[in-house]
Amino acid sequence: MKAHASSERNARTAQTPVGFPLSQQRPAIFVTGAASGIGRACAELFARRGWFVGLYDINADGVASIAAVLGEQNAMSGALDVSNPEAWRQALAAFWKCSGGRLDVLLNNAGILSSGRFEDVPLDKHHAMLSVNVRGMITGCHCAFPYLRGTPRSRVVNIASATAIYGQPELATYSGTKFAVRGFTEGLDLEWTKFGIRVSDIWPSFVKTPMSDDFGHIPSAKALGIRLTPADVASTVWDCATTKRFIHKTHWTVGLQAGALSLATRLAPSALTRWVVQRIAL
């Protein structure tokens, strides 16, 4: 039994990347979809507060320009297609080296959206949302596991949406991907707690980002308004990433609207919730 336990420990050690002593470094966050919007706001906020930041996006030039402003001592950047496992492996290895051997927070922010009546949205766009919003998150967590496990008290923060509270018409597939984020977050948080890794997600309502240009014709966006800014979401991500672990929450809402809808779905009968959403969205 002792030999068996020793071999298990050696196998685990071999899978965990080796870096410098953690006590000598500042915390580090890896941000996907960091070229604009929520990802950029989060990267800039964490950098201002003393963290080392990795900015990754399919738009390599965009994240490079932001990293240049933040300074090479504070940030690095790179191209990343989140649906590509090999791209993840290369990006994480480079980040681990530059961060001094730590990954305190993995922020899965990259996401895309195509809105409109389900049958009018081309099928390849539905599939693209699944690839980026769901496959990208799963791939990132799978590839990042040894780095997260090698950093004490690490966290994963997944950007979901208030559309994960109740499905939204003209956002059916996007909403479905965010339900997947919600379920994945809940399950992985329970599974990874034994490794000291906590997993949470963020539920903002409509946010003023380049993506919101696609919201103009959506009835629920018209009814509720686009009230949040990327900075609002970044502030909640910061709270989620830095809160004391004994008050850990799995789901974090952003804004009064998302908070009220979340509360209502927990307290009200499902038929009433459906009626309210239908009145807002149709």
Side-chain angles (χ1 to χ4, degrees), residues 191-263:
E191 187 172 337
W192 278 5
T193 187
K194 63 186 177 185
F195 301 117
I197 305 168
R198 301 314 305 256
V199 185
S200 299
D201 58 17
I202 310 295
W203 297 358
S205 53
F206 296 108
V207 184
K208 295 175 184 176
T209 68
M211 190 183 291
S212 68
D213 294 341
D214 208 22
F215 292 159
H217 64 279
I218 300 174
S220 56
K222 292 180 180 179
L224 298 174
I226 305 174
R227 303 176 185 277
L228 297 177
T229 67
D232 294 324
V233 184
S235 178
T236 300
V237 171
W238 172 264
D239 290 341
C240 174
T242 60
T243 189
K244 299 295 184 183
R245 296 175 71 82
F246 63 84
I247 55 172
H248 171 74
K249 293 194 302 182
T250 306
H251 306 302
W252 294 70
T253 58
V254 187
L256 293 175
Q257 292 173 337
L261 181 58
S262 177
L263 179 62

Side-chain angles (χ1 to χ4, degrees), residues 15-221:
Q15 294 172 359
T16 302
V18 177
F20 300 103
L22 290 170
S23 62
Q24 297 179 11
Q25 304 132 33
R26 53 185 169 163
I29 181 172
F30 186 109
V31 183
T32 69
S36 63
I38 293 170
R40 176 174 182 168
C42 290
E44 292 175 337
L45 175 62
F46 277 76
R48 286 198 305 270
R49 296 185 176 178
W51 286 49
F52 183 79
V53 177
L55 299 97
Y56 290 87
D57 199 286
I58 199 166
N59 177 2
D61 291 339
V63 287
S65 63
I66 299 168
V69 172
L70 297 178
E72 64 180 22
Q73 298 302 315
N74 303 312
M76 66 174 296
S77 69
L80 177 60
D81 174 358
V82 295
S83 65
N84 184 332
E86 183 55 33
W88 267 105
R89 285 189 281 268
Q90 292 179 9
L92 285 163
F95 176 79
W96 182 262
K97 182 177 180 180
C98 289
S99 70
R102 65 186 301 161
L103 174 59
D104 294 87
V105 176
L106 170 64
L107 176 57
N108 285 309
N109 166 71
I112 59 174
L113 177 150
S114 294
S115 63
R117 291 182 296 183
F118 176 80
E119 65 277 13
D120 292 338
V121 176
L123 187 58
D124 62 342
K125 292 192 174 183
H126 289 289
H127 289 171
M129 283 186 277
L130 289 168
S131 181
V132 174
N133 301 359
V134 180
R135 181 180 176 182
M137 171 191 62
I138 293 171
T139 303
C141 288
H142 197 276
C143 293
F145 172 69
Y147 300 98
L148 292 162
R149 189 176 182 184
T151 309
R153 299 176 298 281
S154 58
R155 298 174 186 259
V156 176
V157 181
N158 299 318
I159 300 297
S161 164
T163 63
I165 300 171
Y166 199 94
Q168 296 293 309
E170 298 198 30
L171 290 171
T173 298
Y174 177 78
S175 181
T177 67
K178 296 307 181 179
F179 268 87
V181 172
R182 173 180 177 173
F184 177 82
T185 297
E186 291 172 353
L188 197 62
D189 183 46
L190 292 172
E191 187 172 337
W192 278 5
T193 187
K194 63 186 177 185
F195 301 117
I197 305 168
R198 301 314 305 256
V199 185
S200 299
D201 58 17
I202 310 295
W203 297 358
S205 53
F206 296 108
V207 184
K208 295 175 184 176
T209 68
M211 190 183 291
S212 68
D213 294 341
D214 208 22
F215 292 159
H217 64 279
I218 300 174
S220 56

